Amino acid sequence: MLRNLLALRRVTQRTFSTASRRHFENKVPEKQKVFQEDNGLPVHLKGGVTDALLYRATMFLTLGGTVYALYLLTLASFPKKQD
Amino acid sequence: MTHQVHPYHMVNPSPWPLTGALSALLLTSGMIMWFHFNSSTLLLIGLLTNLLTVFQWWRDVVREGTFQGHHTPMVQKGLRYGMVLFIISEIFFFAGFFWAFYHSSLAPTHDLGGCWPPTGIIPLNPLDVPLLNTSVLLASGVSITWAHHSLMEGNRNHMIQALFITIALGLYFTILQASEYYETPFTISDGVYGSTFFMATGFHGLHVIIGTTFLLVCFFRQLNFHFTSKHHFGFEAAAWYWHFVDVVWLFLYVSIYWWGS
Protein backbone atom coordinates (compact mmCIF):
# COMPACT_ATOMS: atom_id res chain seq x y z
CA MET A 1 0.00 0.00 0.00
CA LEU A 2 2.80 2.43 0.99
CA ARG A 3 4.77 1.43 -2.12
CA ASN A 4 1.74 2.38 -4.23
CA LEU A 5 1.55 5.76 -2.53
CA LEU A 6 5.27 6.39 -3.05
CA ALA A 7 4.98 5.40 -6.70
CA LEU A 8 1.99 7.72 -7.03
CA ARG A 9 3.98 10.64 -5.55
CA ARG A 10 6.73 10.12 -8.13
CA VAL A 11 4.15 10.13 -10.96
CA THR A 12 2.59 13.39 -9.81
CA GLN A 13 5.94 15.24 -9.65
CA ARG A 14 6.06 16.70 -13.15
CA THR A 15 9.14 18.11 -14.84
CA PHE A 16 8.79 21.63 -16.17
CA SER A 17 8.74 21.91 -19.94
CA THR A 18 8.50 24.67 -22.49
CA ALA A 19 5.42 23.16 -24.17
CA SER A 20 2.41 25.44 -23.92
CA ARG A 21 -0.58 24.33 -21.88
CA ARG A 22 -2.77 23.82 -24.98
CA HIS A 23 -0.54 21.12 -26.47
CA PHE A 24 -0.01 17.60 -25.15
CA GLU A 25 3.31 16.83 -23.51
CA ASN A 26 5.08 13.53 -24.05
CA LYS A 27 4.66 11.74 -20.73
CA VAL A 28 5.61 8.31 -22.07
CA PRO A 29 9.11 8.30 -20.45
CA GLU A 30 7.49 9.00 -17.05
CA LYS A 31 5.01 6.17 -17.57
CA GLN A 32 7.81 3.85 -18.65
CA LYS A 33 9.63 4.59 -15.39
CA VAL A 34 6.52 3.87 -13.30
CA PHE A 35 5.67 0.61 -15.04
CA GLN A 36 9.23 -0.69 -15.12
CA GLU A 37 9.83 -0.14 -11.41
CA ASP A 38 10.96 -3.33 -9.69
CA ASN A 39 8.20 -3.45 -7.05
CA GLY A 40 6.80 -6.92 -7.80
CA LEU A 41 3.35 -5.54 -8.67
CA PRO A 42 1.46 -7.18 -11.55
CA VAL A 43 0.68 -4.90 -14.49
CA HIS A 44 -3.02 -4.57 -13.61
CA LEU A 45 -2.15 -3.03 -10.22
CA LYS A 46 1.10 -1.24 -11.11
CA GLY A 47 -0.46 2.13 -11.92
CA GLY A 48 -1.34 3.07 -8.37
CA VAL A 49 -4.26 3.20 -5.94
CA THR A 50 -6.88 3.73 -8.67
CA ASP A 51 -5.95 0.37 -10.19
CA ALA A 52 -6.69 -1.45 -6.95
CA LEU A 53 -10.02 0.36 -6.47
CA LEU A 54 -11.13 -0.35 -10.03
CA TYR A 55 -10.08 -4.01 -9.68
CA ARG A 56 -12.03 -4.44 -6.45
CA ALA A 57 -15.13 -2.76 -7.93
CA THR A 58 -14.97 -4.99 -11.01
CA MET A 59 -14.51 -8.18 -8.98
CA PHE A 60 -17.28 -7.22 -6.54
CA LEU A 61 -19.78 -6.52 -9.33
CA THR A 62 -18.79 -9.62 -11.30
CA LEU A 63 -18.90 -12.08 -8.40
CA GLY A 64 -22.00 -10.46 -6.91
CA GLY A 65 -23.68 -10.50 -10.29
CA THR A 66 -22.84 -14.17 -10.75
CA VAL A 67 -24.43 -15.08 -7.40
CA TYR A 68 -27.48 -12.98 -8.36
CA ALA A 69 -27.68 -14.69 -11.77
CA LEU A 70 -27.51 -18.18 -10.23
CA TYR A 71 -30.20 -17.19 -7.71
CA LEU A 72 -32.53 -15.91 -10.46
CA LEU A 73 -31.93 -18.97 -12.63
CA THR A 74 -32.71 -21.27 -9.67
CA LEU A 75 -35.88 -19.27 -9.01
CA ALA A 76 -36.89 -19.47 -12.67
CA SER A 77 -36.38 -23.26 -12.66
CA PHE A 78 -39.29 -23.77 -10.27
CA PRO A 79 -42.49 -22.36 -11.81
CA LYS A 80 -45.06 -20.77 -9.47
CA LYS A 81 -48.08 -22.98 -8.68
CA GLN A 82 -51.34 -21.79 -10.29
CA ASP A 83 -54.14 -21.28 -7.69
CA MET B 1 18.74 -10.92 -11.04
CA THR B 2 17.04 -13.17 -13.66
CA HIS B 3 16.37 -11.92 -17.16
CA GLN B 4 14.64 -13.49 -20.14
CA VAL B 5 16.72 -14.93 -22.97
CA HIS B 6 13.79 -15.33 -25.40
CA PRO B 7 11.80 -12.70 -27.32
CA TYR B 8 8.36 -13.79 -26.09
CA HIS B 9 6.04 -12.19 -23.55
CA MET B 10 5.28 -14.13 -20.37
CA VAL B 11 2.30 -12.12 -19.10
CA ASN B 12 1.66 -11.40 -15.41
CA PRO B 13 -1.27 -13.32 -13.89
CA SER B 14 -4.42 -11.34 -14.66
CA PRO B 15 -8.00 -11.36 -13.34
CA TRP B 16 -9.54 -10.10 -16.59
CA PRO B 17 -10.12 -13.45 -18.35
CA LEU B 18 -12.18 -14.55 -15.32
CA THR B 19 -14.17 -11.32 -15.02
CA GLY B 20 -14.65 -11.35 -18.81
CA ALA B 21 -16.02 -14.89 -18.81
CA LEU B 22 -18.32 -14.14 -15.87
CA SER B 23 -19.53 -10.93 -17.52
CA ALA B 24 -20.45 -13.03 -20.57
CA LEU B 25 -22.55 -15.24 -18.26
CA LEU B 26 -24.24 -12.14 -16.85
CA LEU B 27 -24.89 -10.75 -20.35
CA THR B 28 -26.51 -13.96 -21.60
CA SER B 29 -28.56 -14.73 -18.50
CA GLY B 30 -29.36 -11.00 -18.33
CA MET B 31 -30.86 -11.21 -21.81
CA ILE B 32 -32.98 -14.17 -20.69
CA MET B 33 -34.27 -12.16 -17.71
CA TRP B 34 -34.99 -9.22 -20.00
CA PHE B 35 -36.75 -11.17 -22.76
CA HIS B 36 -38.79 -13.49 -20.54
CA PHE B 37 -39.25 -11.73 -17.21
CA ASN B 38 -39.06 -8.03 -18.16
CA SER B 39 -36.14 -7.37 -15.77
CA SER B 40 -33.03 -5.53 -16.97
CA THR B 41 -30.92 -5.41 -13.77
CA LEU B 42 -28.80 -8.45 -14.58
CA LEU B 43 -28.24 -7.29 -18.17
CA LEU B 44 -27.07 -3.89 -16.96
CA ILE B 45 -24.65 -5.48 -14.48
CA GLY B 46 -23.42 -7.69 -17.34
CA LEU B 47 -22.84 -4.69 -19.61
CA LEU B 48 -21.06 -2.79 -16.85
CA THR B 49 -18.74 -5.66 -15.87
CA ASN B 50 -18.02 -6.34 -19.54
CA LEU B 51 -17.06 -2.70 -20.13
CA LEU B 52 -14.88 -2.65 -17.00
CA THR B 53 -13.12 -5.84 -18.10
CA VAL B 54 -12.35 -4.75 -21.67
CA PHE B 55 -11.20 -1.32 -20.50
CA GLN B 56 -8.77 -2.72 -17.94
CA TRP B 57 -7.59 -5.61 -20.14
CA TRP B 58 -6.67 -3.36 -23.08
CA ARG B 59 -5.27 -0.71 -20.72
CA ASP B 60 -2.90 -3.46 -19.48
CA VAL B 61 -1.93 -4.40 -23.07
CA VAL B 62 -0.97 -0.74 -23.69
CA ARG B 63 1.05 -0.75 -20.47
CA GLU B 64 2.81 -3.99 -21.43
CA GLY B 65 3.67 -2.77 -24.95
CA THR B 66 4.25 0.98 -24.77
CA PHE B 67 5.44 1.32 -21.17
CA GLN B 68 7.16 -2.01 -20.45
CA GLY B 69 8.54 -2.77 -23.92
CA HIS B 70 7.27 -6.36 -24.11
CA HIS B 71 6.10 -6.08 -27.74
CA THR B 72 9.20 -7.34 -29.53
CA PRO B 73 9.01 -8.11 -33.28
CA MET B 74 8.17 -11.76 -32.41
CA VAL B 75 5.35 -10.69 -30.10
CA GLN B 76 4.08 -8.21 -32.67
CA LYS B 77 4.00 -11.00 -35.25
CA GLY B 78 1.73 -12.98 -32.91
CA LEU B 79 -0.52 -9.96 -32.42
CA ARG B 80 -0.78 -9.57 -36.20
CA TYR B 81 -1.73 -13.21 -36.67
CA GLY B 82 -4.26 -12.83 -33.88
CA MET B 83 -5.95 -9.80 -35.44
CA VAL B 84 -6.05 -11.44 -38.88
CA LEU B 85 -7.64 -14.60 -37.47
CA PHE B 86 -10.17 -12.56 -35.52
CA ILE B 87 -11.21 -10.61 -38.63
CA ILE B 88 -11.50 -13.88 -40.57
CA SER B 89 -13.85 -15.20 -37.86
CA GLU B 90 -15.94 -12.03 -38.24
CA ILE B 91 -16.09 -12.59 -42.01
CA PHE B 92 -17.60 -16.02 -41.32
CA PHE B 93 -20.05 -14.41 -38.88
CA PHE B 94 -21.34 -12.07 -41.60
CA ALA B 95 -21.27 -14.87 -44.20
CA GLY B 96 -24.08 -16.50 -42.20
CA PHE B 97 -26.35 -13.48 -42.53
CA PHE B 98 -25.59 -13.10 -46.23
CA TRP B 99 -26.35 -16.83 -46.67
CA ALA B 100 -29.72 -16.32 -44.99
CA PHE B 101 -30.49 -13.32 -47.21
CA TYR B 102 -29.62 -15.09 -50.47
CA HIS B 103 -31.41 -18.28 -49.37
CA SER B 104 -34.69 -16.37 -48.98
CA SER B 105 -34.29 -13.86 -51.81
CA LEU B 106 -33.04 -16.07 -54.68
CA ALA B 107 -36.10 -18.38 -54.49
CA PRO B 108 -38.87 -16.37 -52.80
CA THR B 109 -41.70 -18.59 -51.48
CA HIS B 110 -45.35 -18.24 -52.52
CA ASP B 111 -46.36 -16.71 -49.18
CA LEU B 112 -44.12 -13.76 -50.06
CA GLY B 113 -45.86 -13.45 -53.45
CA GLY B 114 -43.15 -15.40 -55.26
CA CYS B 115 -41.16 -12.18 -55.72
CA TRP B 116 -38.40 -10.16 -54.06
CA PRO B 117 -38.90 -7.70 -52.48
CA PRO B 118 -41.95 -9.54 -51.09
CA THR B 119 -45.44 -8.17 -51.79
CA GLY B 120 -46.24 -5.22 -49.57
CA ILE B 121 -42.61 -4.36 -48.76
CA ILE B 122 -41.45 -0.89 -49.86
CA PRO B 123 -37.65 -1.08 -49.94
CA LEU B 124 -35.40 1.94 -49.38
CA ASN B 125 -34.19 3.80 -52.48
CA PRO B 126 -30.56 2.66 -52.93
CA LEU B 127 -29.65 5.98 -54.59
CA ASP B 128 -30.74 7.98 -51.53
CA VAL B 129 -29.10 7.83 -48.06
CA PRO B 130 -27.62 4.34 -48.64
CA LEU B 131 -25.51 5.74 -51.49
CA LEU B 132 -24.40 8.64 -49.28
CA ASN B 133 -23.45 6.08 -46.59
CA THR B 134 -21.36 4.25 -49.18
CA SER B 135 -19.46 7.41 -50.09
CA VAL B 136 -18.98 8.26 -46.40
CA LEU B 137 -17.33 4.92 -45.66
CA LEU B 138 -15.24 4.94 -48.83
CA ALA B 139 -14.00 8.44 -47.95
CA SER B 140 -13.15 7.24 -44.45
CA GLY B 141 -11.04 4.50 -46.03
CA VAL B 142 -9.07 7.19 -47.85
CA SER B 143 -8.64 9.35 -44.74
CA ILE B 144 -7.42 6.46 -42.61
CA THR B 145 -4.82 5.62 -45.29
CA TRP B 146 -3.72 9.27 -45.20
CA ALA B 147 -3.46 8.98 -41.39
CA HIS B 148 -1.29 5.87 -41.68
CA HIS B 149 1.09 7.41 -44.19
CA SER B 150 1.35 10.57 -42.09
CA LEU B 151 2.21 8.42 -39.08
CA MET B 152 4.89 6.50 -41.00
CA GLU B 153 6.38 9.79 -42.27
CA GLY B 154 6.45 11.27 -38.78
CA ASN B 155 3.91 13.99 -39.56
CA ARG B 156 2.14 14.26 -36.20
CA ASN B 157 -0.36 17.00 -37.04
CA HIS B 158 -1.50 15.46 -40.32
CA MET B 159 -1.96 12.11 -38.62
CA ILE B 160 -4.16 13.67 -35.94
CA GLN B 161 -6.23 15.59 -38.52
CA ALA B 162 -6.71 12.56 -40.80
CA LEU B 163 -7.67 10.27 -37.91
CA PHE B 164 -10.12 12.91 -36.66
CA ILE B 165 -11.73 13.07 -40.11
CA THR B 166 -11.99 9.26 -40.19
CA ILE B 167 -13.72 9.19 -36.80
CA ALA B 168 -16.06 12.03 -37.81
CA LEU B 169 -17.06 10.12 -40.96
CA GLY B 170 -17.69 7.01 -38.89
CA LEU B 171 -19.98 8.96 -36.56
CA TYR B 172 -21.71 10.57 -39.55
CA PHE B 173 -22.43 7.08 -40.96
CA THR B 174 -23.89 5.96 -37.64
CA ILE B 175 -26.15 9.02 -37.37
CA LEU B 176 -27.34 8.64 -40.98
CA GLN B 177 -28.04 4.94 -40.52
CA ALA B 178 -29.91 5.57 -37.26
CA SER B 179 -32.13 8.10 -39.01
CA GLU B 180 -32.72 5.59 -41.83
CA TYR B 181 -33.77 2.98 -39.27
CA TYR B 182 -36.29 5.48 -37.90
CA GLU B 183 -37.66 6.21 -41.40
CA THR B 184 -38.02 2.68 -42.83
CA PRO B 185 -41.62 1.76 -43.68
CA PHE B 186 -40.87 -1.86 -42.66
CA THR B 187 -39.74 -3.39 -39.33
CA ILE B 188 -37.74 -6.43 -38.25
CA SER B 189 -40.99 -8.39 -37.84
CA ASP B 190 -42.08 -7.80 -41.44
CA GLY B 191 -41.36 -11.32 -42.62
CA VAL B 192 -38.06 -12.64 -43.81
CA TYR B 193 -37.29 -9.36 -45.62
CA GLY B 194 -37.36 -7.44 -42.36
CA SER B 195 -35.42 -10.12 -40.49
CA THR B 196 -32.58 -10.38 -43.01
CA PHE B 197 -32.40 -6.62 -43.53
CA PHE B 198 -32.15 -5.66 -39.88
CA MET B 199 -29.98 -8.59 -38.71
CA ALA B 200 -27.36 -7.93 -41.43
CA THR B 201 -27.38 -4.12 -41.31
CA GLY B 202 -27.85 -4.09 -37.52
CA PHE B 203 -24.77 -6.19 -36.81
CA HIS B 204 -22.86 -4.13 -39.37
CA GLY B 205 -23.88 -0.93 -37.55
CA LEU B 206 -22.67 -2.41 -34.27
CA HIS B 207 -19.31 -3.15 -35.90
CA VAL B 208 -19.11 0.45 -37.15
CA ILE B 209 -19.60 1.63 -33.56
CA ILE B 210 -16.94 -0.80 -32.31
CA GLY B 211 -14.55 0.30 -35.08
CA THR B 212 -15.15 3.97 -34.33
CA THR B 213 -14.40 3.32 -30.64
CA PHE B 214 -11.16 1.53 -31.58
CA LEU B 215 -10.18 4.53 -33.75
CA LEU B 216 -10.99 6.92 -30.89
CA VAL B 217 -8.67 4.99 -28.57
CA CYS B 218 -5.95 5.27 -31.23
CA PHE B 219 -6.67 9.01 -31.46
CA PHE B 220 -6.03 9.53 -27.75
CA ARG B 221 -2.96 7.29 -27.85
CA GLN B 222 -1.56 9.35 -30.74
CA LEU B 223 -2.20 12.59 -28.80
CA ASN B 224 -0.25 11.06 -25.92
CA PHE B 225 2.75 10.11 -28.06
CA HIS B 226 2.27 6.34 -27.77
CA PHE B 227 2.92 5.61 -31.46
CA THR B 228 6.26 5.86 -33.27
CA SER B 229 6.72 6.01 -37.04
CA LYS B 230 8.03 2.43 -37.00
CA HIS B 231 5.94 0.82 -34.22
CA HIS B 232 2.19 1.43 -34.11
CA PHE B 233 0.47 -1.95 -34.38
CA GLY B 234 -2.59 -0.82 -32.38
CA PHE B 235 -3.30 1.71 -35.11
CA GLU B 236 -2.72 -0.84 -37.88
CA ALA B 237 -5.12 -3.28 -36.22
CA ALA B 238 -7.75 -0.51 -36.01
CA ALA B 239 -7.18 0.34 -39.68
CA TRP B 240 -7.54 -3.30 -40.76
CA TYR B 241 -10.79 -3.57 -38.77
CA TRP B 242 -12.08 -0.34 -40.28
CA HIS B 243 -11.39 -1.52 -43.87
CA PHE B 244 -13.17 -4.79 -43.03
CA VAL B 245 -16.24 -2.83 -41.84
CA ASP B 246 -16.14 -0.81 -45.06
CA VAL B 247 -15.98 -3.94 -47.26
CA VAL B 248 -18.90 -5.55 -45.40
CA TRP B 249 -20.96 -2.42 -46.08
CA LEU B 250 -20.11 -2.62 -49.81
CA PHE B 251 -21.41 -6.20 -49.88
CA LEU B 252 -24.51 -5.12 -47.93
CA TYR B 253 -25.15 -2.22 -50.28
CA VAL B 254 -24.79 -4.26 -53.48
CA SER B 255 -26.70 -7.34 -52.19
CA ILE B 256 -29.49 -6.02 -49.96
CA TYR B 257 -29.96 -2.37 -50.88
CA TRP B 258 -29.33 -2.54 -54.62
CA TRP B 259 -29.93 -6.08 -55.97
CA GLY B 260 -32.52 -6.75 -53.24
CA SER B 261 -34.70 -3.83 -54.31
Side-chain angles (χ1 to χ4, degrees):
Chain A
M1 186 68 180
L2 181 64
R3 269 195 293 206
N4 284 347
L5 285 172
L6 286 173
L8 196 62
R9 251 186 77 231
R10 267 191 283 269
V11 167
T12 53
Q13 282 166 355
R14 295 173 58 194
T15 50
F16 291 106
S17 74
T18 51
S20 72
R21 277 199 159 269
R22 250 188 329 113
H23 301 289
F24 282 77
E25 294 164 29
N26 187 352
K27 296 204 197 86
V28 171
E30 281 175 44
K31 295 275 194 179
Q32 286 170 333
K33 207 157 161 263
V34 168
F35 287 100
Q36 289 178 37
E37 207 188 306
D38 192 8
N39 51 26
L41 287 172
V43 72
H44 69 280
L45 295 172
K46 217 169 167 87
V49 175
T50 325
D51 283 4
L53 289 170
L54 208 54
Y55 162 72
R56 280 181 212 188
T58 308
M59 208 41 107
F60 174 75
L61 282 167
T62 314
L63 294 173
T66 304
V67 169
Y68 181 49
L70 292 171
Y71 162 71
L72 285 175
L73 288 171
T74 316
L75 209 62
S77 306
F78 298 99
K80 279 213 310 265
K81 277 207 190 78
Q82 302 289 325
D83 287 318
Chain B
M1 169 109 70
T2 54
H3 64 278
Q4 73 176 52
V5 293
H6 59 78
Y8 300 100
H9 181 195
M10 305 302 287
V11 287
N12 295 146
S14 169
W16 311 132
L18 176 65
T19 61
L22 291 175
S23 78
L25 170 69
L26 301 185
L27 280 168
T28 46
S29 48
M31 277 194 271
I32 294 171
M33 295 310 295
W34 187 48
F35 291 158
H36 296 283
F37 301 102
N38 202 27
S39 161
S40 41
T41 316
L42 198 56
L43 183 57
L44 287 167
I45 299 174
L47 279 163
L48 185 57
T49 51
N50 192 246
L51 247 79
L52 283 166
T53 300
V54 298
F55 169 74
Q56 291 172 96
W57 193 329
W58 282 323
R59 174 206 67 188
D60 290 352
V61 174
V62 169
R63 287 177 177 182
E64 289 158 359
T66 308
F67 304 147
Q68 295 182 329
H70 283 295
H71 290 181
T72 62
M74 262 332 270
V75 172
Q76 212 194 113
K77 204 166 169 213
L79 293 170
R80 284 175 188 276
Y81 273 125
M83 192 65 194
V84 166
L85 289 169
F86 174 64
I87 290 175
I88 290 173
S89 79
E90 294 253 75
I91 291 169
F92 279 110
F93 179 70
F94 277 98
F97 294 115
F98 277 101
W99 188 328
F101 168 74
Y102 278 112
H103 174 92
S104 298
S105 59
L106 283 168
T109 52
H110 79 275
D111 54 301
L112 301 174
C115 54
W116 194 275
T119 311
I121 295 283
I122 309 161
L124 296 169
N125 182 359
L127 301 174
D128 204 337
V129 174
L131 185 60
L132 174 61
N133 271 343
T134 305
S135 64
V136 165
L137 284 185
L138 285 173
S140 73
V142 171
S143 59
I144 200 173
T145 306
W146 173 32
H148 191 197
H149 283 268
S150 303
L151 179 56
M152 290 189 290
E153 288 158 23
N155 195 330
R156 179 179 162 81
N157 284 335
H158 278 195
M159 196 284 187
I160 290 169
Q161 280 173 40
L163 187 50
F164 179 80
I165 288 169
T166 311
I167 293 167
L169 287 168
L171 288 168
Y172 187 33
F173 176 94
T174 304
I175 291 166
L176 283 169
Q177 191 69 328
S179 82
E180 279 287 272
Y181 268 32
Y182 190 71
E183 296 290 331
T184 53
F186 54 86
T187 71
I188 196 171
S189 24
D190 283 324
V192 75
Y193 184 89
S195 300
T196 50
F197 180 88
F198 284 106
M199 284 300 277
T201 61
F203 270 113
H204 173 261
L206 177 65
H207 283 70
V208 171
I209 292 167
I210 291 167
T212 311
T213 310
F214 197 171
L215 290 171
L216 253 171
V217 169
C218 288
F219 184 73
F220 285 110
R221 291 190 68 199
Q222 166 68 0
L223 286 177
N224 286 300
F225 298 86
H226 286 198
F227 299 133
T228 72
S229 60
K230 291 273 181 301
H231 190 162
H232 46 260
F233 176 65
F235 173 79
E236 288 185 62
W240 291 351
Y241 196 77
W242 192 251
H243 287 305
F244 155 71
V245 159
D246 187 7
V247 170
V248 170
W249 171 259
L250 294 174
F251 276 92
L252 279 174
Y253 180 72
V254 168
S255 305
I256 296 180
Y257 285 91
W258 193 356
W259 179 83
S261 68

